[in-house]
């Protein structure tokens, strides 16, 4: 007795699948052929020639895909129900400030336009060298005269589910300040020696040079006489 193998048509093993937005749906992976035959397929939009669909963030919902598969003897129509569930999209920066070169003593302004394609509310946290400086989409920071050098400005945004972090390097240029002296009134007696006490360096750490007018000498000293009252 000789029993010949009978060809059986290909079939869809899973008629319903689920995937999240942004995921890929492959119809070929759902097809089986009992005889292991090489199959030909014809797919419809939005599937490509390989039977794949890279879903987007606007494809949430129920979809029905129909396609044709053939083993050379049988032409079979496949039908798969696809349920695409929502995937949260993290907020992104659409635009932001561009000035990262600033001067000591200036008020540094920063801002960012952040979009959340899901329409979720967005929370902001700006930090300057780790210090929180704003919790809005913009802010200002008063730079001191001791902050020359590189600094890090970070922005953390969250929609309650996903968080994004952005970073800028802020270059603060040194600003030279004019020397500033505050010398109190001097009371002395005739015949005494008066010395003007002045600092050697200014607030920037620069060494200072002085020129004294008479009757002071080049070192800021005046040896008074008994005719100098007044």
């Amino acid at each position: 007795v000789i029993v010949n193998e009978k060809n059986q048509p290909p079939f869809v093993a899973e008629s319903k699948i689920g995937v999240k937005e942004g995921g890929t749906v492959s119809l070929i992976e759902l097809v089986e052929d009992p005889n292991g035959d090489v199959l030909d397929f014809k797919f419809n939009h939005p599937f490509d020639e390989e039977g794949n669909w890279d879903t987007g963030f606007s494809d949430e919902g129920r979809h029905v895909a129909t396609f044709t598969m053939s083993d050379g003897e049988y032409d079979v129509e496949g039908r798969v129900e696809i349920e695409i569930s929502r995937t949260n999209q993290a907020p992104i920066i659409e635009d932001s400030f561009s000035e990262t070169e600033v001067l000591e003593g200036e008020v540094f302004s920063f801002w960012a336009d952040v979009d959340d394609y899901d329409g979720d509310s967005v929370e902001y946290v700006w930090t300057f060298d780790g210090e929180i400086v704003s919790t809005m989409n913009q802010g200002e920071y008063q730079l001191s005269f001791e902050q020359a050098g590189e600094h890090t400005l970070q922005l953390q945004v969250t929609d309650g589910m996903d968080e994004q972090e952005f970073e800028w390097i802020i270059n603060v240029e040194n600003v030279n300040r004019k020397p500033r002296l505050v010398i109190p009134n001097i009371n002395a007696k005739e015949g005494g020696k008066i010395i003007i006490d002045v600092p050697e360096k200014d607030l920037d750490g620069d060494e200072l040079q002085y020129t004294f007018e008479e009757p002071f000498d080049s070192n800021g000293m005046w040896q008074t006489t008994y005719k100098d009252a007044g």
Side-chain angles (χ1 to χ4, degrees):
V1 178
I2 299 176
V3 181
N4 293 321
E5 181 181 11
K6 181 179 180 181
N7 184 47
Q8 300 180 62
F11 64 95
V12 178
E14 293 184 63
S15 60
K16 185 174 182 179
I17 62 171
V19 67
K20 287 189 174 183
E21 287 177 325
T24 299
V25 179
S26 177
L27 295 178
I28 290 181
E29 294 180 356
L30 306 177
V31 174
E32 294 184 7
D33 186 88
N35 305 104
D37 296 326
V38 177
L39 303 178
D40 291 324
F41 296 91
K42 290 183 179 179
F43 300 102
N44 300 313
H45 182 77
F47 291 88
D48 60 21
E49 295 180 353
E50 302 297 325
N52 297 321
W53 176 22
D54 295 325
T55 64
F57 289 99
S58 59
D59 293 324
E60 178 186 8
R62 178 179 173 273
H63 305 264
V64 176
T66 57
F67 60 99
T68 301
M69 47 191 165
S70 174
D71 63 358
E73 179 180 354
Y74 294 104
D75 293 331
V76 180
E77 184 180 79
R79 184 178 185 277
V80 177
E81 182 179 334
I82 305 166
E83 187 70 33
I84 301 178
S85 57
R86 179 178 179 269
T87 297
N88 183 63
Q89 298 183 73
I92 62 171
I93 287 184
E94 295 286 355
D95 196 10
S96 67
F97 74 99
S98 58
E99 185 57 58
T100 59
E101 303 285 337
V102 292
L103 300 176
E104 284 183 325
E106 284 189 341
V107 175
F108 169 54
S109 299
F110 48 87
W111 57 271
D113 287 337
V114 176
D115 198 355
D116 186 275
Y117 292 125
D118 299 320
D120 300 325
S121 60
V122 178
E123 296 180 357
Y124 304 80
V125 176
W126 295 86
T127 58
F128 190 87
D129 289 343
E131 174 191 356
I132 296 177
V133 292
S134 178
T135 55
M136 303 179 67
N137 69 325
Q138 60 185 358
E140 292 182 341
Y141 181 74
Q142 176 65 60
L143 294 163
S144 72
F145 285 95
E146 288 76 38
Q147 289 185 286
E150 284 192 355
H151 300 267
T152 302
L153 178 70
Q154 290 183 323
L155 170 61
Q156 290 181 337
V157 291
T158 179
D159 59 3
M161 287 174 281
D162 289 299
E163 182 180 286
Q164 293 273 66
E165 187 173 285
F166 308 92
E167 184 175 295
W168 296 263
I169 298 300
I170 309 301
N171 293 303
V172 181
E173 296 182 19
N174 181 62
V175 173
N176 183 57
R177 289 173 284 180
K178 292 181 179 180
R180 184 180 179 185
L181 294 178
V182 178
I183 301 177
N185 292 333
I186 298 173
N187 294 312
K189 291 185 177 182
E190 286 181 325
K193 184 184 295 184
I194 299 174
I195 298 176
I196 298 180
D197 186 17
V198 290
E200 295 182 357
K201 296 182 179 181
D202 66 5
L203 294 175
D204 294 318
D206 299 324
E207 292 188 0
L208 298 176
Q209 297 178 349
Y210 297 91
T211 301
F212 298 95
E213 296 181 356
E214 293 183 352
F216 291 90
D217 63 16
S218 60
N219 295 317
M221 185 187 75
W222 174 21
Q223 176 63 60
T224 66
T225 69
Y226 289 98
K227 297 180 181 180
D228 291 326

